Amino acid sequence: MSHSGTLYVVATPIGNLRDITLRAVDVLQTADIVAAEDTRHSAHLLAHLGIKTKLVALHEHNEHRAGEKLIAELRAGKSVALVSDAGTPGISDPGALFVQLAREAGITVVPLPGACAAVTALSAAGFAAPHFLFYGFLPASGSQRKKALETLRDQAATLVFYEAPHRVVESARDMAAMLGENRAMLIARELTKTFETLHRCALGEAASWLLEDDNRQRGEFVLLVEGAPSPDSAEIDENSARILKLLLDELPLKQAVKLASDISGAKKNALYDLALELKSL
Ligand code: SAM
């Protein structure tokens, strides 16, 4: 029988402190140690919750060393709650290495779900694609960023990026140039906070929208880009597409696709893909 403690991976709010879960409060309260990316930052959260659990630092520069020490504590039966500055640890944040060390040491790892900026933005995007690709931060250098975007050009899944405010205009421009100006984009800024903004537009219009008002370039950003149009949808002739559009205005998607295929003779799969694209615009 193992007497080791448990490592809890705890998601915390991305802005609005009321987004903490009840379970996260329980675990932060009862854990022996809270391992935090920035102890000062997390001290505010714990103080807000009235929690006095001991905090230790675990960030990208000491993750291995601090991780080893915490594994020793876990082995001795202590329980540890891992948090990052905001959202879910390990998602564009430290944590993965420590979790791996814990796994190798045979420690039980328990994840506590909660806020994640990417998923929060996706939930309000209304993009119909059934898949998404979480990319996180693009490279800071322009040429590297363009190269990275090029590898994503044909990706059909919705693309999910994190971006820093001082690079958001540049990135939006590069995305339009490399992925195509006509794709839909969602700019999700300051999610859950006072100045939360969700703006949907064509990729080609994003940079000018951001530049129209300096405030639009402030804060934290998730950028979502609709996936590449399916090669099938390009095969549909204008008349079949027109029939499909008319039917989609009146009928549920599946019925509209079936009828449009019966009337026009176009392939059902291709019409279905086009219908999903039209619905997401
Ligand atoms: N672990 C976090 C998560 O689960 O979303 C992400 C941490 S990453 C270091 C920080 C980036 O996430 C920000 O630069 C921004 O791109 C995005 N982000 C975090 N909070 C956000 C918010 N409230 N609104 C929009 N984007 C946010």
Side-chain angles (χ1 to χ4, degrees):
M1 198 179 101
S2 158
H3 295 287
S4 294
T6 300
L7 169 59
Y8 297 95
V9 183
V10 182
T12 58
I14 55 168
N16 188 327
L17 293 184
R18 293 184 64 79
D19 289 332
I20 190 90
T21 69
L22 299 175
R23 197 169 159 222
V25 175
D26 286 347
V27 166
L28 292 171
Q29 181 109 56
T30 53
D32 295 297
I33 300 167
V34 174
E37 183 182 2
D38 177 341
T39 49
R40 269 188 308 176
H41 182 97
S42 296
H44 287 300
L45 175 69
L46 294 195
H48 173 83
L49 299 169
I51 292 174
K52 296 197 170 69
T53 308
K54 176 183 165 190
L55 276 159
V56 303
L58 182 125
H59 44 71
E60 58 175 329
H61 304 295
N62 77 347
E63 195 170 351
H64 205 277
R65 195 164 24 92
E68 293 286 5
K69 275 193 192 159
L70 286 164
I71 299 292
E73 301 274 19
L74 283 156
R75 279 207 167 110
K78 299 266 172 66
S79 62
V80 175
L82 170 68
V83 298
S84 62
D85 283 357
T88 304
I91 307 298
S92 293
D93 262 344
L97 176 61
F98 177 40
V99 168
Q100 190 192 338
L101 291 175
R103 291 194 166 288
E104 283 165 9
I107 306 288
T108 305
V109 179
V110 175
L112 268 67
C116 173
V119 175
T120 307
L122 274 164
S123 73
F127 289 161
H131 310 290
F132 67 86
L133 187 153
F134 174 70
Y135 194 88
F137 290 98
L138 282 160
S141 106
S143 58
Q144 295 294 91
R145 183 164 56 234
K146 287 196 189 100
K147 263 192 206 156
L149 286 167
E150 197 165 14
T151 67
L152 300 171
R153 199 199 312 257
D154 298 327
Q155 178 55 249
T158 299
L159 304 172
V160 185
F161 301 100
Y162 284 168
E163 193 46 283
H166 58 281
R167 273 198 287 271
V168 70
V169 173
E170 240 178 286
S171 276
R173 277 200 190 115
D174 287 349
M175 285 175 191
M178 303 307 294
L179 304 175
E181 304 208 327
N182 293 329
R183 290 204 209 177
M185 166 178 231
L186 180 84
I187 300 174
R189 172 181 165 254
E190 293 288 89
L191 290 164
T192 78
K193 303 189 211 176
T194 312
F195 296 109
E196 178 178 87
T197 312
L198 293 153
H199 178 73
R200 195 166 152 160
C201 61
L203 201 39
E205 291 158 13
S208 54
W209 181 82
L210 288 161
L211 286 166
E212 255 167 50
D213 178 346
D214 283 351
N215 287 322
R216 292 181 183 166
Q217 299 151 50
R218 297 209 169 104
E220 298 195 278
F221 290 87
V222 182
L223 303 176
L224 302 187
V225 179
E226 188 186 29
S230 82
D232 276 355
S233 66
E235 286 168 15
I236 295 174
D237 64 88
E238 228 172 274
N239 194 43
S240 311
R242 195 177 58 83
I243 294 169
L244 177 66
K245 274 184 206 154
L246 288 172
L247 292 171
L248 274 175
D249 287 341
E250 308 294 333
L251 296 170
L253 191 137
K254 273 193 183 159
Q255 230 177 318
V257 167
K258 185 181 177 312
L259 263 181
S261 171
D262 291 347
I263 297 167
S264 69
K267 277 190 207 157
K268 242 200 237 166
N269 279 354
L271 285 167
Y272 189 78
D273 287 346
L274 179 61
L276 288 180
E277 276 167 35
L278 290 169
K279 283 271 176 200
S280 75
L281 285 177

